[in-house]
Amino acid sequence: MSELKPNRLSRRTALSAMAAFGFAAGFAPGIARQVYKEAQELKPGEFSWHPERAKSGPVSIIVSLPDQLVHVYRNGIRIAVSTCSTGKKGHRTPTGVFTILQKDKHHHSSTYNNASMPNMNRLTWSGIALHAGRLPGYPASHGCIRLPLQFSALLFTVTHLGTPVIIASGHTQPREVVHPGMVLAQYAENEFEDALARLKGKHIPKDTGRSTSVIVSRADQQILIMENGEIVAKGKASIRNPQTPLGEHVFVLNRPHDGRRGLAWHAVGHHHSLSNGFHEPEEQVIKRINADRASIAALQQRMHPGMMLVMTDLPLDPSRRSGKDFVIVTQAEG
């Protein structure tokens, strides 16, 4: 894809900007650079930023560990890509699906000598976050995802509490999937009007809003509905062909699709070492799941643009979740 022209910063301007962001002495993130390059050609510290490609819509973030890249999508369209540095050996960045739990523009570490972590988007209460930091060109952090300074500042302007962040060893590009009615209910066109009415007047939650996540586990045959990290409903998942894996998928609700009379979701498939790269198309996966009436009623009350639906083959037990830290972890730190 085409990239922005390089942002020319003088040394004085760059140092002033670093001071303004509160960098501690000895912190050397390097100067971020916006460039004309394909994602795979970016060098450490380089990034692209194109918010004009999608000026509104739900945001989702994908961190590719093998590529050491962070992709930012809005309304299913990639608006940015940046180099990053993730956890080094012994401090591996966990993989899975996370949501932003806290934002702090001038954060300092309570663990690592009060180190400056500008533009922090927290993913776990145990210390994993997106923030500005040193980018040597390989995994070097204590588990966090380090970003170029300027990119981290731009990213901070488009995220909110509840924004989904997928950290994975592999992923598919987001694709639009249209469901004709209430997801997890019967795949019936006559549900569209009801679903449309439920979304009327609702917007993407900002930092003061209430964010809803729905998790479907094939292993447990269970559905969890979470609001701001708290479980508000549990139910039984009815999965067609339950012996066949679902794969690992994230669906983010966008908007009603009048032309196709359904709700448009942006879907991302990802995988980890336990899944062997299994991937079933998202438009097929979403048709395989039905929920009990109580779960559908709870979902109807809380659905909103930006709502996240996670489908996983993994069990929802304490080894995969830790309090309100994350939605589902596929591989822990270490």
Side-chain angles (χ1 to χ4, degrees):
M1 66 181 190
S2 63
E3 310 295 350
L4 291 175
K5 292 182 179 179
N7 185 27
R8 295 180 174 86
L9 295 177
S10 69
R11 179 175 174 80
R12 177 179 297 177
T13 301
L15 292 175
S16 298
M18 289 170 66
F21 279 106
F23 281 85
F27 186 82
I31 299 174
R33 297 181 296 278
Q34 297 188 51
V35 294
Y36 275 116
K37 285 184 179 180
E38 296 293 333
Q40 65 271 18
E41 297 174 346
L42 294 175
K43 296 178 180 179
E46 294 181 338
F47 68 93
S48 67
W49 184 260
H50 298 279
E52 73 282 357
R53 290 178 173 170
K55 296 182 179 180
S56 62
V59 170
S60 58
I61 299 168
I62 301 174
V63 180
S64 174
L65 296 181
D67 298 332
Q68 293 289 280
L69 292 174
V70 174
H71 304 266
V72 183
Y73 294 88
R74 185 159 60 191
N75 202 24
I77 298 169
R78 190 169 71 177
I79 62 169
V81 61
S82 173
T83 51
C84 68
S85 179
T86 58
K88 60 187 176 181
K89 186 176 181 180
H91 297 274
R92 182 176 53 202
T93 300
T95 60
V97 182
F98 303 78
T99 59
I100 291 175
L101 303 170
Q102 181 190 46
K103 297 180 63 174
D104 185 351
K105 194 163 185 62
H106 305 290
H107 185 71
H108 286 76
S109 173
S110 59
T111 305
Y112 299 107
N113 301 316
N114 201 38
S116 180
M117 297 179 173
N119 307 309
M120 188 273 290
N121 284 287
R122 182 184 294 279
L123 303 181
T124 77
W125 294 115
S126 63
I128 305 301
L130 295 147
H131 64 78
R134 187 174 65 90
L135 299 173
Y138 51 84
S141 79
H142 286 91
C144 285
I145 299 100
R146 296 178 185 169
L147 304 170
L149 172 59
Q150 187 181 356
F151 177 82
S152 72
L154 293 168
L155 181 66
F156 198 85
T157 67
V158 301
T159 60
H160 61 81
L161 301 187
T163 295
V165 179
I166 302 164
I167 305 175
S169 54
H171 68 277
T172 61
Q173 299 301 312
R175 56 190 300 172
E176 186 175 72
V177 174
V178 178
H179 190 290
M182 198 67 63
V183 69
L184 305 183
Q186 293 296 320
Y187 205 80
E189 217 173 302
N190 58 11
E191 293 174 354
F192 174 63
E193 298 299 336
D194 183 33
L196 188 63
R198 299 283 181 179
L199 286 175
K200 187 176 182 179
K202 293 186 178 180
H203 305 283
I204 298 170
K206 298 303 180 184
D207 293 345
T208 56
R210 302 192 67 80
S211 178
T212 302
S213 301
V214 182
I215 313 164
V216 178
S217 165
R218 183 179 68 91
D220 295 338
Q221 303 274 296
Q222 189 179 53
I223 294 169
L224 296 183
I225 298 177
M226 305 179 72
E227 193 170 66
N228 289 1
E230 300 281 358
I231 297 174
V232 295
K234 292 183 180 181
K236 177 73 173 175
S238 176
I239 302 175
R240 182 164 50 85
N241 300 326
Q243 295 80 21
T244 302
L246 291 172
E248 308 294 321
H249 305 271
V250 176
F251 297 79
V252 179
L253 180 58
N254 184 17
R255 69 195 190 287
H257 193 301
D258 293 329
R260 294 174 61 183
R261 292 189 60 76
L263 298 184
W265 298 75
H266 290 129
V268 178
H270 63 101
H271 63 265
H272 54 93
S273 59
L274 300 178
S275 67
N276 297 317
F278 177 84
H279 178 74
E280 181 176 14
E282 285 79 15
E283 57 265 37
Q284 298 301 320
V285 172
I286 203 169
K287 295 178 181 179
R288 290 177 56 191
I289 314 296
N290 286 325
D292 60 274
R293 290 184 180 180
S295 296
I296 292 174
L299 181 61
Q300 287 174 332
Q301 295 172 16
R302 295 172 174 85
M303 65 188 302
H304 58 76
M307 182 180 77
M308 182 170 62
L309 168 63
V310 178
M311 294 186 182
T312 179
D313 291 313
L314 298 172
L316 301 175
D317 59 35
S319 68
R320 296 294 171 190
R321 301 185 62 246
S322 175
K324 296 190 293 182
D325 274 8
F326 40 73
V327 175
I328 183 72
V329 163
T330 56
Q331 186 170 311
E333 302 171 56

